[in-house]
Amino acid sequence: MDFKLRRPPEASSKSSSSMMNRISNNLKPDLPFVPFDSTNLSYGARQELSISEFSPPVVTQPHGLYAPDKETKAKNQVEPSSEVNSPGMSWDPRLMLSNLSFLEQKIHQVQDIVRTIISQEGQFFDRANELAAQQQLVTADLTYIIIQLISTAGTLLPNIKNALLSTTPVVQPNNALAISANEPTNSNQKQQNILPMEVAKSSEYDELIKDLNGCGSEGDELIKCLNNSGTEVSESIPMEDHDIKDYDDGVDGENLPPGSYEVLQLEKEEILAPHTHFCLICGKGFKRDANLRMHMRGHGDEYKTPAALAKPSKEASSEPAIIRRYSCPFVGCKRNKEHKKFQPLKTILCVKNHYKRSHCDKSYTCSRCKTKKFSVIADLKTHEKHCGRDKWICSCGTTFSRKDKLFGHVALFQGHAPAIPMDDTKVSGTSDQAQASEATNAMVGNMGYSFTGNASDDALSLNIKGIEDGQGYFSPMNFDACNFGGLDEFPRSVFEVSESPFSFLSTGSCSFIQRNGEN
Amino acid sequence: MTQIGQPRGTKLMKRAHMQQPSDSIMAVLSVDLLIQILDRVTDSCDRKSCRLVCRGFLRAEALQRRALRVFRREALPRLLRRYATCLERLDLSTCPALDDYALSASLAAGTGRWQLRSVNLSRASGVGWRGLAALVAACPLLEAVDLSHCVGLGDRDAAALAAAAGLRELRLDKCLSLTDVGLAKVAVGCPGLKKLGIKWCLEISDIGIDLLAKKCQDLMELDISYLKISNKSIQSISSLVKLEVLSMVGCSYIDDEGLEFLNNGTNSLRVIDVSRCDNVTSSGLTSVIEWHKRLQKLNVGDCFPELSPLFLSKLNGLKDSLTVLKLDGFQLCSSSLKIIGMNCKNLAKIGLSKCKSVTDEGISELVAGCVDLMTIDLTCCHLLTDKALMAIGEHCKKLSCLRLESCNLITEKGLDRIGTCCSNLEEIDLTDCSICNTAMQYLSRCSKLMVLKLGLCDKISDEGLVHIASNCKLLRELDLYRCIQITDDGLAAIATGCKKLQKLNLCYCTQITDKGMKHVSCLEGLSDLELRGLCHVTSVGISEIAKGCRGLSELDLKRCNLVDDAGLFALAQYTGNLRQINISYCPVSGMGLCMLLVNLECLQDVKVVHINQVTVREFENALRGSLGRLKKLKLLIGLKHLLAPWLIQMLQVRGCRIRWVDKPCYEPFLAY
């Protein structure tokens, strides 16, 4: 579970969004969601990677958290019942049936594996590896099942919509609740995203359908509305806050007049805390309230009621939306509300990333180049994808994977020039210069470090202009130093990182963040 | 530029010093006065004489000299020490065996005092980035550098050069390893560049050109010929508001669309050369000449077959400015030439080479309009007859250069008119024209004639040469290639009449013997002599040449079947300035070759194919002796595997390019 503690919350929403894409892809015959294809394509590969890379979270509570087969079956049985609602125009019930029976088989397989695990209990100590392998297998299978379930359910969407339009706009809430109550935890959350029958109001649901049909090409929109229909809807976060852009803490497109928004400032401990939701009974921590609620079911039947599982703050959505912005707790930072030119951060996520990037040690080192360090793991992941591939180097030390990018950079900055790799033999005399340049490097490195220590994102203005190459080449080492703050040479898109095979199941970090903010 | 630096001269000078009494008249004159005197001496030989008179003159000359061209590597440090303070232009393109060490050591002599602004390192293939770095460090005022044909030069060398921030002119033609990165280095390091030549730098792409255009906004001259660049580059170039000269010969990826971009910026262009751009058409050019109203030179040769009437009519817009128009390889009817004649009144130079459809009528129409024409190139205009020459003679009184190669139909009648009317004629090319001695008589009236090409004119005999020699005293260049009737007597006349001759081509004039060589040896100014296939010339004749023509720098003895080691010994002893020699097929031995290559310290270009008496070992010895000096070598391909690999490698590392020839008549080498 260790990785889970460190996982940036945004990773999960990426996963969930790509999940959406998958669904939308399945919907394609009916709905024009073509633009999602690219993300969708890469999904599978990433999924595999994450399965092999991380020990699955199933380990500790294989029975409590994840689908006991009976329940899944129950769900399987329930789901076709939603067909009753739809007139069944464009979807093929036979296809769905075959899908479901395939899933059933799959679930049986998982059952078998879990049974083996149970039978092996007590022998764990000598066969830890085997167990881990089995657990991975379970994780992978469950993931697959969930995906299939969702996509199968997804085929119903337009039909339901038709039903809504033609007959009654209100979905049977009881029915939906019954489904979710019986469902395995994670797939339930997923289910909330796609078939938001559980708690979503009919109007919201309507909006979802509308958006699904209407926006078509706009991925953000889709994610937005899906998020809205999910758990966070009630939490009165303005729609645009779910924009993909938000995950980069440097983005400040808006110019809200001071006072027009509420400023929240989280404490350092809150920002860095891996878990914010703790079980009152066993003390286990969770990143998301929804996960906690699902966990609570294991502590007794009273936690299984729809009321207990429903979002506690549902009513809050009726209040007028207050624009909230966030302040960095680091005094002196431009993102701190005491700063003269205070620039608020848009979301909790921005706060977390900003705080880690600007005011924390860079504890994650790239395993490949051993030089670049990051404080946000997603940044490291992004870097590792490109590490070693950048062969175009500027005299300032910045590296590029493409020549035209390097030349664009050189054209932009006065005094920068492409560097020539030192593949030649050095003559005497240049070695001194090389040393000198190394010294410069070190100096620059220190400077950069001090910036990262106290400066904020606008360290961009202190860019590398002054750094000139004596020898035409800097080691990539000072890349880090030059590249502090908001000066992003590589995209920090966390969307491509999925650390856990299940991370896509969670609905984003905002619920947790919100709570924090309110505290 | 004057030639100095022969060891012999130094000895003479010392002798002169010893003979000079200290209270001579020269000692009384101040340095200022001596400089004043020297200012009035322009001829290089005369200056040399002055230099050798006394120390005072030598000192004055050192203070007065601004330009220097070096022929000997050994003389370089001494010369640079002497001239360190005042020298502004240094030409090292002819200096053999120049490498990084020699360059930096020589420059160290004048550290801190150098006023050098221009350095020519063309073909100095031994110079790399270390030498360039030393040059840049030593000469803070450096403005112009020529590195053309330094084929080994790459990005690192360009980077070293880029440290010269004040650079205004740079030629990097045929620096084959230069890529966008090197160009970017130069562009960033030398933002004040005004002239840049990157012809034949095949690695350079649109990206590099784009950056260049962004960084060097002051560029006035740009040569991007033969680059594999697209229209995008032209778009980048169009942002150069000061650009006046644009050469883009053979850029076949550029089409009319690219030329359109040139019309977006300012109309600063004065000269544009788009010859051999296969994809450029009449319409693209029309748009260019419409926009750039002050165009002075336009070269559109070999682009497309026919000029559109629109283009011709638009030439009218340039009538005041256009002075040079090259239309090589076009189908031009007489009406087109008439329009050109009417529209381009100020034309001084026209190139109609290989315009095979050009007729007498067309030329008449053209010259009737363009009376100021000074250069007319009619190479391979086969249809032209005497009528065209009559018209030219009648209208173009200022004519100085006329090229009539392969105009078979012209006769002495036409040349009679030319000789009578065009008294300013300096250059005429009559190669492959079937003209006779009478024509020579008429031509000899042009007493200013400097260049005369009579190759393949087999009717020309000694009589014709006597006419020329009697009147054309200024003749510098004479080409008698395959004029088989020429004998020793003709050469005698030339040798007495044309004392200023520098280039002489006697290839395959098979009647010439050693006697003729004796006459030729009287031409002291001769620098370039081709004696290919003179089967009656022996080593005796060559020895005469060697003793007489001390300034000889290029000699071709290919297939001189009687020239043996004795001739080479003489050459090795006397022609110390020889830079280029061809002794292929000569019956020389290893000894002769060794003597030649080891002793001639200026020798840089050697062609030794099929010299069958030389063993591999002797080849190796000879090449080892000249290692570091040779820049070009032509050898039989069979030697490639026989010569020691280290030697070949060494030669190449020191900047020598070896051309391996695979000729059929190959006999196995004699080996030990």
Side-chain angles (χ1 to χ4, degrees):
Chain A
M1 293 287 287
D2 192 37
F3 72 95
K4 258 211 150 170
L5 309 186
R6 278 191 261 139
R7 186 186 62 200
E10 63 266 31
S12 57
S13 35
K14 160 59 187 168
S15 304
S16 67
S17 71
S18 62
M19 196 61 223
M20 294 303 142
N21 300 341
R22 190 174 189 97
I23 295 151
S24 61
N25 204 26
N26 279 319
L27 294 175
K28 230 157 88 181
D30 304 315
L31 297 170
F33 280 126
V34 191
F36 286 114
D37 281 1
S38 57
T39 20
N40 208 14
L41 281 171
S42 55
Y43 181 79
R46 238 180 278 125
Q47 196 66 27
E48 275 172 28
L49 184 78
S50 52
I51 289 168
S52 59
E53 257 180 19
F54 300 100
S55 62
V58 198
V59 184
T60 42
Q61 61 280 63
H63 311 297
L65 260 180
Y66 294 102
D69 33 300
K70 225 187 254 172
E71 283 168 7
T72 320
K73 254 188 245 165
K75 186 217 166 241
N76 285 350
Q77 285 150 11
V78 171
E79 211 172 66
S81 74
S82 62
E83 294 165 24
V84 182
N85 284 339
S86 59
M89 282 178 281
S90 58
W91 67 282
D92 183 3
R94 282 179 204 86
L95 183 71
M96 177 168 275
L97 193 62
S98 77
N99 278 350
L100 290 175
S101 40
F102 176 72
L103 282 174
E104 202 175 345
Q105 279 179 9
K106 200 80 187 164
I107 287 165
H108 281 305
Q109 284 174 11
V110 181
Q111 258 180 319
D112 290 341
I113 299 169
V114 177
R115 270 197 210 101
T116 337
I117 296 174
I118 294 167
S119 68
Q120 283 171 343
E121 254 171 346
Q123 307 160 17
F124 281 178
F125 297 107
D126 9 84
R127 291 204 227 169
N129 286 343
E130 201 177 310
L131 177 68
Q134 278 168 339
Q135 283 165 348
Q136 278 190 2
L137 208 59
V138 172
T139 318
D141 278 348
L142 286 176
T143 313
Y144 178 77
I145 291 164
I146 291 158
I147 293 166
Q148 283 303 315
L149 267 179
I150 292 163
S151 57
T152 312
T155 55
L156 282 172
L157 265 180
N159 299 305
I160 294 168
K161 186 211 164 191
N162 285 337
L164 288 170
L165 292 175
S166 56
T167 58
T168 162
V170 184
V171 186
Q172 302 289 321
N174 286 338
N175 189 13
L177 282 176
I179 298 167
S180 65
N182 286 330
E183 265 175 7
T185 320
N186 286 300
S187 59
N188 180 28
Q189 282 182 312
K190 202 70 224 171
Q191 202 66 18
Q192 287 172 359
N193 283 338
I194 304 110
L195 299 171
M197 306 173 198
E198 181 195 10
V199 283
K201 284 178 185 170
S202 59
S203 59
E204 286 164 3
Y205 181 63
D206 227 349
E207 194 180 286
L208 162 69
I209 299 296
K210 200 170 67 199
D211 281 350
L212 280 173
N213 276 330
C215 63
S217 62
E218 286 178 28
D220 296 358
E221 288 274 317
L222 173 69
I223 294 162
K224 196 191 301 170
C225 73
L226 285 172
N227 278 341
N228 277 345
S229 61
T231 44
E232 298 120 307
V233 165
S234 57
E235 295 179 19
S236 72
I237 293 171
M239 294 255 285
E240 68 269 21
D241 276 1
H242 294 269
D243 252 349
I244 298 172
K245 279 188 286 185
D246 282 4
Y247 296 111
D248 193 350
D249 59 20
V251 177
D252 261 328
E254 52 169 18
N255 265 324
L256 290 174
S260 68
Y261 51 86
E262 183 185 347
V263 178
L264 292 176
Q265 183 170 303
L266 283 77
E267 286 313 309
K268 182 186 160 198
E269 290 73 24
E270 284 178 294
I271 292 172
L272 298 177
H275 292 157
T276 41
H277 307 277
F278 294 96
C279 174
L280 294 172
I281 296 162
C282 66
K284 185 174 165 50
F286 295 91
K287 275 190 177 179
R288 294 173 187 79
D289 183 49
N291 289 358
L292 173 62
R293 271 181 279 139
M294 294 308 151
H295 161 82
M296 293 307 282
R297 293 179 312 168
H299 287 303
D301 285 342
E302 66 265 37
Y303 299 108
K304 289 182 181 168
T305 62
L309 285 163
K311 258 191 200 174
S313 52
K314 191 73 205 94
E315 320 81 72
S317 67
S318 56
E319 290 172 11
I322 307 160
I323 303 173
R324 283 212 183 91
R325 289 295 178 267
Y326 298 88
S327 158
C328 168
F330 195 96
V331 180
C333 171
K334 200 177 185 179
R335 304 295 194 167
N336 182 268
K337 59 187 173 188
E338 309 298 331
H339 193 277
K340 264 188 282 180
K341 292 177 181 173
F342 172 54
Q343 287 190 331
L345 292 151
K346 265 190 181 175
T347 63
I348 290 284
L349 207 56
C350 298
V351 176
K352 291 191 92 164
N353 280 343
H354 159 76
Y355 193 85
K356 283 185 192 168
R357 281 175 188 149
S358 306
H359 311 302
C360 292
D361 285 341
K362 295 181 173 181
S363 46
Y364 303 111
T365 312
C366 172
S367 56
R368 213 176 300 182
C369 64
K370 314 269 188 220
T371 44
K372 296 197 178 174
K373 293 182 176 176
F374 303 91
S375 48
V376 177
I377 197 162
D379 295 351
L380 171 69
K381 298 274 172 193
T382 318
H383 161 74
E384 280 182 335
K385 265 187 218 151
H386 302 285
C387 183
R389 286 185 211 165
D390 296 346
K391 51 177 185 164
W392 297 103
I393 308 162
C394 176
S395 55
C396 69
T398 318
T399 58
F400 301 87
S401 55
R402 281 166 56 185
K403 182 166 145 189
D404 55 335
K405 298 287 173 198
L406 166 64
F407 276 66
H409 167 89
V410 168
L412 207 59
F413 295 99
Q414 201 73 41
H416 288 209
I420 297 162
M422 289 292 253
D423 43 10
D424 285 12
T425 49
K426 281 182 192 173
V427 280
S428 60
T430 44
S431 62
D432 292 355
Q433 289 165 303
Q435 277 168 10
S437 84
E438 263 170 39
T440 322
N441 278 358
M443 214 173 70
V444 170
N446 291 338
M447 267 167 56
Y449 200 73
S450 69
F451 283 140
T452 46
N454 56 27
S456 56
D457 297 331
D458 53 345
L460 177 61
S461 59
L462 299 160
N463 69 32
I464 39 206
K465 220 173 265 181
I467 306 161
E468 248 294 34
D469 64 324
Q471 280 306 294
Y473 179 73
F474 271 178
S475 75
M477 212 148 48
N478 62 352
F479 174 78
D480 241 356
C482 300
N483 213 356
F484 40 78
L487 183 59
D488 285 350
E489 289 300 341
F490 47 87
R492 286 216 168 101
S493 157
V494 285
F495 288 95
E496 291 162 30
V497 183
S498 99
E499 284 149 86
S500 148
F502 289 103
S503 58
F504 64 89
L505 295 172
S506 41
T507 47
S509 57
C510 287
S511 61
F512 132 78
I513 288 162
Q514 199 64 34
R515 209 162 300 280
N516 253 342
E518 281 160 5
N519 282 345
Chain B
M1 299 257 179
T2 51
Q3 313 181 2
I4 64 164
Q6 286 121 356
R8 213 164 55 90
T10 328
K11 276 176 210 156
L12 271 175
M13 186 182 72
K14 275 177 190 161
R15 207 161 54 235
H17 289 162
M18 283 184 288
Q19 288 164 357
Q20 204 71 54
S22 57
D23 58 351
S24 94
I25 182 80
M26 287 303 178
V28 181
L29 295 172
S30 73
V31 176
D32 291 353
L33 288 173
L34 292 181
I35 289 178
Q36 293 257 336
I37 295 168
L38 279 173
D39 278 342
R40 286 159 177 80
V41 182
T42 47
D43 187 81
S44 64
C45 291
D46 300 343
R47 287 178 67 99
K48 187 174 174 185
S49 309
C50 287
R51 228 167 34 230
L52 299 175
V53 168
C54 71
R55 225 166 249 171
F57 256 127
L58 187 70
R59 230 176 281 130
E61 208 260 350
L63 291 171
Q64 195 248 9
R65 180 182 277 272
R66 295 288 175 268
L68 177 69
R69 184 185 221 179
V70 183
F71 288 92
R72 296 286 180 84
R73 169 50 211 291
E74 309 77 57
L76 184 64
R78 201 185 63 238
L79 286 172
L80 291 189
R81 247 197 321 276
R82 189 194 300 163
Y83 295 111
T85 42
C86 297
L87 214 56
E88 286 178 358
R89 299 184 299 279
L90 179 62
D91 186 349
L92 297 171
S93 60
T94 45
C95 184
L98 191 69
D99 56 16
D100 287 338
Y101 176 75
L103 185 62
S104 24
S106 315
L107 287 168
T111 311
R113 293 183 290 151
W114 284 114
Q115 305 286 314
L116 274 180
R117 285 166 203 280
S118 163
V119 174
N120 186 348
L121 287 167
S122 178
R123 291 179 206 276
S125 44
V127 174
W129 59 277
R130 292 161 198 136
L132 290 175
L135 174 74
V136 169
C139 311
L141 300 176
L142 207 58
E143 279 178 0
V145 175
D146 188 344
L147 287 168
S148 49
H149 300 279
C150 296
V151 284
L153 238 52
D155 292 341
R156 177 157 296 281
D157 315 289
L161 193 70
L167 220 55
R168 297 281 175 273
E169 290 178 37
L170 180 59
R171 290 187 69 110
L172 295 166
D173 301 359
K174 217 165 184 182
C175 293
L176 294 174
S177 317
L178 188 75
T179 71
D180 287 337
V181 173
L183 184 64
K185 281 278 187 193
V186 170
V188 172
C190 319
L193 270 184
K194 285 193 159 60
K195 297 181 183 178
L196 178 66
I198 44 173
K199 188 176 174 177
W200 281 116
C201 296
L202 297 175
E203 300 284 321
I204 286 174
S205 72
D206 287 340
I207 298 173
I209 300 287
D210 185 53
L211 189 72
L212 175 75
K214 279 180 183 148
K215 294 285 181 184
C216 302
Q217 291 282 331
D218 290 341
L219 270 177
M220 292 168 74
E221 278 190 43
L222 184 60
D223 188 347
I224 49 168
S225 302
Y226 301 102
L227 296 192
K228 292 171 185 164
I229 49 170
S230 72
N231 291 339
K232 232 171 127 189
S233 284
I234 303 299
Q235 190 177 13
S236 310
I237 286 168
S238 68
S239 70
L240 296 169
V241 290
K242 295 179 184 170
L243 194 70
E244 292 185 358
V245 181
L246 178 61
S247 295
M248 34 186 279
V249 182
C251 294
S252 37
Y253 296 100
I254 290 171
D255 54 26
D256 290 348
E257 225 170 281
L259 289 184
E260 292 284 347
F261 286 122
L262 288 176
N263 308 341
N264 297 337
T266 52
N267 56 356
S268 58
L269 273 186
R270 300 284 179 276
V271 179
I272 184 164
D273 188 343
V274 292
S275 50
R276 292 170 206 275
C277 294
D278 306 334
N279 289 316
V280 166
T281 72
S282 213
S283 67
L285 282 172
T286 310
S287 70
V288 169
I289 61 169
E290 247 178 314
W291 179 260
H292 297 278
K293 290 289 183 198
R294 289 183 286 173
L295 220 51
Q296 290 166 1
K297 296 184 185 179
L298 180 62
N299 188 346
V300 294
D302 302 306
C303 286
F304 47 93
E306 220 159 335
L307 285 172
S308 73
L310 187 65
F311 174 83
L312 292 169
S313 62
K314 292 289 177 192
L315 279 175
N316 188 33
L318 304 173
K319 66 179 166 196
D320 294 328
S321 59
L322 198 70
T323 53
V324 177
L325 181 62
K326 284 199 174 187
L327 300 168
D328 300 357
F330 278 99
Q331 301 280 343
L332 288 171
C333 56
S334 46
S335 59
S336 301
L337 286 170
K338 184 179 182 180
I339 298 170
I340 293 172
M342 286 194 304
N343 285 339
C344 310
K345 296 283 183 197
N346 290 330
L347 221 53
K349 198 169 173 180
I350 189 156
L352 298 170
S353 168
K354 312 229 171 183
C355 297
K356 291 178 182 169
S357 58
V358 168
T359 58
D360 292 339
E361 195 191 343
I363 295 296
S364 308
E365 300 279 12
L366 177 74
V367 293
C370 311
V371 290
D372 289 337
L373 272 174
M374 293 171 73
T375 301
I376 304 176
D377 187 351
L378 299 170
T379 303
C380 296
C381 297
H382 301 299
L383 301 177
L384 294 187
T385 66
D386 290 335
K387 281 181 193 163
L389 294 186
M390 301 274 189
I392 291 172
E394 192 178 332
H395 292 100
C396 307
K397 303 293 181 197
K398 297 181 184 172
L399 194 71
S400 79
C401 173
L402 183 60
R403 300 208 175 93
L404 296 168
E405 183 183 338
S406 286
C407 297
N408 299 312
L409 302 177
I410 60 166
T411 66
E412 63 276 8
K413 279 181 201 157
L415 291 172
D416 184 14
R417 178 60 66 90
I418 294 290
T420 319
C421 303
C422 308
S423 53
N424 287 322
L425 199 67
E426 290 178 358
E427 179 179 347
I428 187 161
D429 186 348
L430 295 167
T431 307
D432 209 4
C433 298
S434 30
I435 47 166
C436 60
N437 290 327
T438 328
M440 289 300 104
Q441 189 185 348
Y442 297 142
L443 266 186
S444 67
R445 289 183 211 137
C446 306
S447 57
K448 293 182 183 169
L449 206 61
M450 288 158 83
V451 179
L452 176 60
K453 295 192 175 174
L454 299 170
L456 296 162
C457 296
D458 45 15
K459 291 184 203 161
I460 303 275
S461 67
D462 294 342
E463 191 195 334
L465 290 189
V466 170
H467 289 303
I468 294 295
S470 63
N471 206 20
C472 304
K473 304 286 183 196
L474 298 176
L475 206 64
R476 263 188 347 212
E477 188 178 339
L478 180 61
D479 184 350
L480 298 172
Y481 179 83
R482 284 191 200 270
C483 291
I484 44 175
Q485 293 196 42
I486 302 287
T487 68
D488 298 337
D489 298 337
L491 289 183
I494 290 292
T496 43
C498 312
K499 283 288 183 192
K500 304 231 178 226
L501 213 57
Q502 291 171 3
K503 288 180 86 172
L504 181 60
N505 189 337
L506 298 173
C507 296
Y508 304 106
C509 299
T510 43
Q511 297 191 43
I512 292 173
T513 67
D514 287 344
K515 216 171 136 197
M517 290 298 106
K518 175 83 182 158
H519 296 307
V520 170
S521 69
C522 299
L523 297 166
E524 288 181 357
L526 212 58
S527 72
D528 199 334
L529 183 59
E530 294 190 45
L531 304 172
R532 216 177 259 213
L534 298 190
C535 47
H536 298 300
V537 171
T538 68
S539 290
V540 178
I542 297 305
S543 304
E544 293 289 346
I545 295 281
K547 286 175 200 156
C549 313
R550 296 291 179 88
L552 210 59
S553 78
E554 288 180 28
L555 181 62
D556 191 341
L557 296 174
K558 186 176 171 182
R559 290 186 196 275
C560 288
N561 297 330
L562 299 177
V563 174
D564 55 15
D565 284 354
L568 296 194
F569 287 153
L571 287 173
Q573 193 179 350
Y574 297 110
T575 54
N577 287 323
L578 206 62
R579 287 211 304 273
Q580 188 176 323
I581 194 165
N582 186 348
I583 48 169
S584 303
Y585 301 92
C586 289
V588 295
S589 76
M591 192 61 125
L593 184 70
C594 266
M595 282 292 283
L596 195 74
L597 290 193
V598 175
N599 283 328
L600 292 180
E601 299 194 323
C602 288
L603 208 57
Q604 296 174 22
D605 186 340
V606 178
K607 296 184 176 77
V608 277
V609 184
H610 288 300
I611 45 175
N612 299 335
Q613 297 173 31
V614 182
T615 65
V616 174
R617 186 69 60 84
E618 283 163 344
F619 255 118
E620 281 180 356
N621 286 337
L623 290 176
R624 205 182 302 159
S626 60
L627 199 66
R629 291 201 297 265
L630 292 184
K631 286 175 185 170
K632 266 176 154 181
L633 189 58
K634 195 170 174 183
L635 290 171
L636 259 189
I637 195 157
L639 279 171
K640 195 174 183 178
H641 307 291
L642 296 171
L643 288 176
W646 71 265
L647 184 66
I648 295 174
Q649 213 178 344
M650 237 2 223
L651 280 166
Q652 283 164 343
V653 165
R654 303 289 289 269
C656 179
R657 280 197 300 156
I658 306 177
R659 233 178 97 198
W660 301 102
V661 191
D662 192 8
K663 289 256 174 83
C665 57
Y666 167 72
E667 287 169 26
F669 289 91
L670 303 170
Y672 285 121

